[in-house]
Amino acid sequence: MSSHRARLLNKVNLTDEIAEFRFQVLDGPLEGLEPGAHVDIGLAPGMVRQYSLCTWDSEGRWFNIAVKQEPDGRGGSTAMHGLAIGDEVELGGPRNHFALAETSKHITLITGGIGVTPILPMVRELQCRGADFRVFYVVRSRELAAMDSQFREMSLGDHYHLHCSDSDGRFDIAAVIQTVPVGGDVYVCGPEPMLEEVLNAGSDLRGGAIHFERFAAAATFATEENDSFEIELQSSGKVLEVGPQESILDVLRAHDVPVEFGCYEGLCGSCMVDVVAGEVDHRDGVLSPAEQEANEFLCVCVSRARSRRLVLQL
Ligand code: FES
């Protein structure tokens, strides 16, 4: 996966669970560092994880990410927190599926938990642009607000709202969405219930769009039974069968069809392939509902078919 290597330069604990890691790019510079982008970090053989960029230098020589330790997770955060200063990792990307639009008239950013990591550089960028924006940072209690001090250092004034549920009560997402001006966009990154609530309130938006990034694949598919289907590779006309227990990506790799991939769970967007024909059963967390409906591309690591055959631009 790697196009670069990086060395851990520094680690700072922001809360009991969240630490910020600074990596030096060893064979840089790293290009494409921008708000909303993430990098792939190879922590061990077969263990590649995606992390949103928080901070970086303009030369692309170093960058910071923040990672929450999740003892019950799949091991990535434990491996990251286990790194020692000077340890080296493989680096892929960056990629950006959560980029700030240039044209928005007004931007509302809503974030919570470790979802704050891509929102921080977005806010920096919006402040530099002199944009009309406001950010709502929702946490259970103040000591969990890992990035609060970094927001406050920016002197954001009324643009910044820290909401602590233990003292401020429940954060009313629908009420916030109703105050978005005509044509205003919403950016959200946080726990899945927060994301779902924003998406559900989206019909109250007047002309703007919701942009989001997920940290976990939509869980509703986990127990669904899968049918087999066919994929046809447009370039060769070759037809391959995808069984109930395998992904399109599994089948492509088994047949040595070159295709990029990263997370293997529909979150990073690196395995996106154009759809020529057929109806996709989208199961990723990257594409917006409108993009999924357009049926123009799919993430081959998780998505399946509603039609008997999908023709892919491969
Ligand atoms: S490999 Fe990450 S979305 Fe498919």
Side-chain angles (χ1 to χ4, degrees):
M1 71 149 216
S2 178
S3 52
H4 291 283
R5 289 192 68 74
R7 177 184 295 138
L8 182 62
L9 281 184
N10 196 18
K11 175 187 172 188
V12 176
N13 291 326
L14 302 178
T15 69
D16 287 349
E17 296 177 320
I18 298 174
E20 191 166 33
F21 298 80
R22 174 165 298 184
F23 285 95
Q24 175 189 16
V25 184
L26 295 177
D27 43 4
L30 197 57
E31 294 178 358
L33 299 170
E34 55 183 33
H38 68 260
V39 285
D40 299 328
I41 296 193
L43 292 154
M47 184 185 281
V48 180
R49 298 290 186 268
Q50 287 67 42
Y51 298 104
S52 295
L53 297 161
C54 296
T55 312
W56 53 88
D57 76 323
S58 56
E59 310 277 300
R61 301 283 175 189
W62 61 261
F63 61 86
N64 288 6
I65 58 170
V67 181
K68 181 180 180 188
Q69 193 153 23
E70 311 210 46
D72 298 330
R74 294 175 304 128
S77 69
T78 301
M80 180 66 76
H81 279 256
L83 290 178
I85 304 298
D87 282 355
E88 293 185 14
V89 295
E90 286 189 78
L91 203 58
R95 288 189 210 90
N96 199 351
H97 302 291
F98 192 42
L100 271 175
E102 291 289 336
T103 50
S104 302
K105 289 196 187 83
H106 180 280
I107 292 183
T108 299
L109 305 107
I110 302 173
T111 185
I114 194 63
V116 69
T117 53
I119 298 295
L120 185 72
M122 286 182 167
V123 169
R124 271 197 211 103
E125 169 72 19
L126 292 170
Q127 194 182 32
C128 281
R129 287 186 197 172
D132 188 10
F133 73 95
R134 54 189 181 155
V135 54
F136 296 91
Y137 182 16
V138 185
V139 289
R140 267 184 287 122
S141 56
R142 185 172 285 268
E143 66 272 16
L144 300 177
M147 295 298 180
D148 182 49
S149 60
Q150 299 197 40
F151 281 123
R152 291 190 190 279
E153 280 165 17
M154 288 187 243
S155 303
L156 296 166
D158 287 349
H159 295 288
Y160 176 61
H161 307 267
L162 175 68
H163 184 101
C164 302
S165 305
D166 60 353
S167 54
D168 301 329
R170 188 179 174 278
F171 181 64
D172 192 342
I173 286 177
V176 169
I177 298 290
Q178 280 165 10
T179 62
V180 173
V182 173
D185 279 354
V186 176
Y187 288 74
V188 56
C189 189
E192 190 63 22
M194 169 183 273
L195 194 67
E196 289 299 325
E197 215 179 318
V198 172
L199 290 171
N200 289 338
S203 54
D204 288 337
L205 271 190
R206 293 165 296 165
I210 293 176
H211 310 257
F212 62 91
E213 181 157 85
R214 278 194 157 93
F215 283 105
T220 46
F221 302 114
T223 55
E224 252 183 40
E225 290 202 359
N226 294 327
D227 289 327
S228 58
F229 58 96
E230 295 172 344
I231 54 169
E232 179 180 328
L233 313 185
Q234 189 194 26
S235 60
S236 60
K238 199 169 183 175
V239 175
L240 304 170
E241 180 84 5
V242 181
Q245 302 300 330
E246 52 191 357
S247 67
I248 300 175
L249 182 54
D250 290 334
V251 173
L252 293 172
R253 293 184 69 200
H255 289 81
D256 295 324
V257 180
V259 57
E260 274 195 50
F261 62 94
C263 66
Y264 233 104
E265 53 183 342
L267 296 174
C268 73
S270 56
C271 68
M272 208 93 77
V273 167
D274 286 12
V275 178
V276 179
E279 196 188 340
V280 179
D281 177 4
H282 290 283
R283 299 187 178 192
D284 65 275
V286 180
L287 298 172
S288 68
E291 287 170 328
Q292 293 189 345
E293 201 171 326
N295 204 55
E296 288 173 355
F297 27 77
L298 84 167
C299 290
V300 293
C301 64
V302 288
S303 293
R304 307 189 65 81
R306 292 194 197 287
S307 49
R308 174 66 192 134
R309 182 180 293 187
L310 292 178
V311 184
L312 304 179
Q313 199 174 81
L314 285 170

